[in-house]
């Protein structure tokens, strides 16, 4: 059987409750990292992660800790906290026997604390609740421990109190991990089954696969098969992160966690969640639970300024090699020329890809407004078949005479809010076509509200609105539950008399008029005055529902600068008004980046 002195666990938490800091502190506590390196937040290695202070990709590190005179190998896996990266959390959990659930002693239980707990319970993990940031003056560890018991059902006395800042409680936590988490199970003599729970691309070494051996044995030189991908590779190096990569000549056995290098050139060749087996001694079945992560949000990228289509193609291709989680395909628009339609796990993911393209690929982009996927049921064709097509772009919607119904993705959302904001949050959800599903107490002053909402209504600015209503104290978690038919219509936007496909959108009929008028106002703010008058119109099925006019530049009038006041909007918009090169000429009208994002402003 597997080595009884291994503990595989992960750290889960709501964003900013201190996962990465605590993980670093544990590296220090076990001597795997000195104090100076700790400054750099070893586990958050990507630049953008460090700048934004968030964990994007999970990391796995092996350390040693002695408890009761016995040396244990602790393999810990840092997981992303943001809702976009739920799938990676699930994969990381599947590689573990235990989870440390971190709760901020000043904030208490939040939406992702609850969501992550459910996932850990689903994965049958043993849990250690950790109350962190106890050094802060406003920390209320005892009260938070009671909340952990009341809300999460974990005994208050099981909570370990830590300060990832001072290091207090970290040694005790390491002891508890050895004592309370179970050793790995698994058969060493069985055929190899190893779970791929993450993969990274390295410029020098190619793809580095993170795996956990569930059954069997794996060694350097083995010919392996990825059961889902149906591809074989030869293992050229096996090792562990300590926290830097250290090759290891011994075979890896059931219970072990490590990395492998096997001549894999691109991340597209690796599916997170896939099972590795030996090519000449295959496991009968793959490990359960692999599913391809589905893109949730789509937008187009077009080259602008000095960037040519080929530059963009090269930049996207390069990025795809080291981030397989977004999708892309060529797209072309009459107005915007040739570009790419890309799919993302969520809005944050989209921001990150856009930023990496510009920063690492040195391209200048115009980006269209993000949309969700719609399922369109067509009316019966001549053979009586009612075809269903998926569209990720309003421009792809067939003529409405051929459309029987349009279905949109729905989510189950849990909002955690101070009791004082409940009325306003309910108003917000209802205004977003939300259906009330329930309400639970979290504590005397906070509640959990459950709503079913269309994904399209919450991806744009729901989070910002929630934060402003609750003065920053509200949090939300959601998961996509399926598609549902709605009264949806396509709205066309005409600039100077011609429809601009890249500005069209799919909206709910009940909101079409107000949304259209608001959008035209925003477009008017964004588009600079020209030498001629520019009419802006919104239309549904050929019927004009709103109009604005951008006056021509008169003799005494100074042209208004485009860009408008977007600084208070999402950070995304802010970045995008940076250069005049982020502009597209459509017909005779120059349309700046901000105009394409005007649709995000729902008023
Ligand atoms: P994501 O990785 O983005 O999900 O966040 P995280 O949970 O890893 O949080 P992170 O470790 O980045 O910590 C968030 C903030 O809290 C940082 O500014 C830390 O310096 C701070 N922080 C973490 N632990 C402690 C603590 O014990 N005490 C104090 N005072 N601050 C802490």
């Amino acid at each position: 059987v597997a080595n009884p002195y291994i503990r595989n666990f992960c750290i889960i938490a709501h964003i900013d409750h201190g996962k990465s800091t605590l993980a670093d502190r544990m590296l220090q506590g076990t001597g795997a990292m000195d104090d100076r390196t700790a400054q750099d937040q070893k586990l958050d290695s990507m630049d953008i992660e460090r700048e934004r202070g968030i964990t994007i990709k999970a990391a796995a590190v092996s350390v040693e800790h002695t408890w009761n005179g016995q040396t244990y190998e602790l393999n810990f896996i840092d997981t992303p906290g943001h809702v976009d990266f739920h799938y990676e959390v699930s994969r990381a959990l599947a590689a573990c026997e235990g989870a440390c659930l971190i709760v901020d002693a000043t904030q208490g239980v939040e939406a992702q604390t609850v969501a992550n707990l459910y996932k850990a319970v689903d994965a049958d993990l043993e849990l250690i609740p950790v109350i962190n940031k106890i050094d802060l003056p406003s920390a209320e560890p005892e009260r938070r421990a009671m909340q952990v018991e009341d809300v999460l059902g974990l005994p208050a006395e099981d909570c370990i109190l830590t300060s990832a800042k001072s290091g207090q409680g970290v040694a005790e936590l390491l002891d508890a991990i050895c004592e309370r988490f179970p050793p790995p199970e698994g058969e060493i003599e069985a055929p190899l089954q190893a779970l791929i729970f993450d993969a990274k691309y390295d410029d020098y070494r190619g793809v580095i696969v993170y795996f956990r051996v569930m059954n069997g044995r794996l060694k350097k030189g083995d010919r392996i098969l990825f059961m889902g991908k149906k591809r074989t590779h030869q293992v050229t190096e096996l090792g562990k992160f300590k926290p830097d990569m250290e090759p290891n000549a011994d075979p890896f056995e059931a219970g072990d966690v490590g990395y492998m290098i096997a001549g894999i050139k691109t991340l597209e060749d690796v599916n997170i969640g896939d099972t590795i087996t030996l090519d000449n001694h295959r496991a009968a079945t793959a490990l359960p639970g692999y599913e391809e992560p589905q893109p949730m949000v789509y937008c187009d990228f077009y080259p602008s300024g000095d960037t040519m289509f080929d530059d963009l193609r090269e930049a996207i291709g390069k990025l795809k090699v080291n981030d397989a989680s977004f999708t892309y395909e060529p797209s072309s628009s009459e107005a915007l020329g040739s570009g790419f339609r890309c799919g993302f796990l969520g809005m944050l993911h989209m921001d990150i890809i856009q930023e990496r393209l510009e920063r690492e690929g040195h391209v200048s982009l115009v980006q269209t407004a993000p949309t969700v996927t719609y399922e369109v049921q067509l009316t019966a064709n001549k053979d009586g078949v009612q075809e269903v097509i998926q569209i990720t772009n309003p421009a792809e919607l067939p003529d409405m005479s051929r459309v029987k119904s349009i279905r949109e993705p729905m989510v189950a959302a849990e909002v955690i809010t101070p009791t004082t904001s409940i009325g306003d949050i309910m108003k917000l959800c209802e205004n977003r076509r939300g259906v009330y599903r329930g309400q639970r107490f979290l504590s005397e002053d906070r509640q959990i509200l459950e709503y079913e909402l269309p994904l399209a209504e919450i991806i744009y600015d729901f989070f910002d609105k929630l934060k402003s209503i609750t003065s920053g104290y509200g949090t939300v978690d959601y998961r996509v539950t399926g598609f549902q038919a709605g009264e949806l219509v396509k709205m066309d936007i005409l600039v100077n008399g011609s429809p601009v496909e890249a500005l069209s959108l799919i909206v709910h009929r009940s909101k079409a008029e107000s949304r259209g008028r608001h959008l035209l106002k925003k477009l008017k703010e964004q588009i600079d005055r020209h030498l001629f008058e520019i009419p802006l119109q919104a239309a549904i099925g050929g019927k004009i529902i709103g109009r604005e006019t951008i006056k021509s530049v008169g003799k005494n009038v100074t042209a208004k600068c485009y860009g408008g006041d977007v600084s208070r909007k999402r950070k995304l918009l802010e970045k995008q008004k940076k250069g005049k090169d982020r502009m597209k000429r459509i017909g005779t009208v120059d349309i700046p980046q901000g105009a394409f994002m005007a649709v995000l402003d729902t008023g």
Side-chain angles (χ1 to χ4, degrees), residues 220-358:
K220 185 175 161 179
D222 280 345
R223 183 125 209 116
I224 51 166
L225 169 75
F226 288 174
M227 297 182 80
K229 269 279 182 208
K230 299 193 172 50
R231 290 243 195 163
T232 64
H233 302 277
Q234 184 112 28
V235 179
T236 57
E237 181 176 319
L238 289 176
K240 291 180 179 170
F241 291 95
K242 293 191 154 190
D244 295 318
M245 286 165 78
E246 260 181 40
N248 187 332
D250 301 335
F252 278 62
E253 296 179 341
D256 282 329
V257 171
Y259 73 85
M260 80 163 70
I261 295 175
I264 305 166
K265 300 270 183 302
T266 148
L267 278 179
E268 283 179 87
D269 291 336
V270 181
N271 285 337
I272 310 295
D274 204 349
T275 303
I276 307 169
T277 191
L278 292 181
D279 192 31
N280 61 7
H281 185 44
R282 298 184 180 191
T285 54
L287 297 164
Y290 174 69
E291 42 175 323
E292 193 95 34
Q294 293 299 318
M296 287 293 149
V297 178
Y298 288 81
C299 80
D300 286 354
F301 289 134
Y302 292 97
S304 70
D306 292 337
T307 300
M308 295 287 132
F309 176 74
D310 284 341
D311 304 331
L312 179 57
R313 183 173 53 203
E314 199 188 316
I316 290 193
K318 259 198 197 142
L319 188 54
K320 179 74 181 175
V321 167
N322 66 71
D323 183 345
S325 58
F326 76 103
T327 63
Y328 72 101
E329 56 182 53
S331 71
S332 66
S333 141
E334 217 173 290
L336 297 172
S338 297
F340 291 95
R341 181 125 200 107
C342 302
F344 312 95
L345 301 172
M347 295 284 275
L348 174 70
H349 188 214
M350 179 181 84
D351 283 9
I352 290 166
I353 298 291
Q354 179 255 333
E355 195 170 325
R356 290 187 69 186
L357 279 174
E358 298 203 315

Side-chain angles (χ1 to χ4, degrees), residues 348-395:
L348 174 70
H349 188 214
M350 179 181 84
D351 283 9
I352 290 166
I353 298 291
Q354 179 255 333
E355 195 170 325
R356 290 187 69 186
L357 279 174
E358 298 203 315
R359 209 188 275 208
E360 297 163 27
H362 309 291
V363 292
S364 169
L365 301 171
V366 161
Q367 174 189 359
T368 58
T371 63
V372 300
T373 309
Y374 293 94
E375 280 184 3
V376 182
Q377 182 161 39
L378 302 178
T379 51
N381 64 13
K382 59 184 190 312
D383 303 321
V385 181
Q386 293 188 353
E387 210 189 327
V388 175
I389 57 169
Q390 291 227 344
I391 63 167
T392 58
N393 185 345

Side-chain angles (χ1 to χ4, degrees), residues 13-22 41 44 53-55 79-81 132-136 162-165:
H14 187 79
I15 195 156
D16 281 346
H17 283 198
K19 278 190 313 281
S20 305
T21 314
L22 191 63
Q41 282 240 359
D44 277 355
I54 47 167
T55 307
T79 56
N132 186 38
K133 306 200 191 180
I134 56 168
D135 58 286
L136 289 174
T162 62
S163 162
K165 190 170 177 198

Side-chain angles (χ1 to χ4, degrees), residues 26 117 122 157 193 206 225 258 307 328 356 360 496 526:
M26 287 160 78
L117 173 82
D122 276 352
E157 68 265 22
Q193 284 176 311
L225 169 75
T307 300
Y328 72 101
R356 290 187 69 186
E360 297 163 27
N496 210 10
Q526 292 287 340

Side-chain angles (χ1 to χ4, degrees), residues 201-213:
Y201 180 80
D202 179 283
D203 282 338
Y204 302 102
R205 324 214 45 189
V207 174
I208 299 166
V209 174
Y210 294 42
F211 65 91
R212 151 81 195 264
V213 182

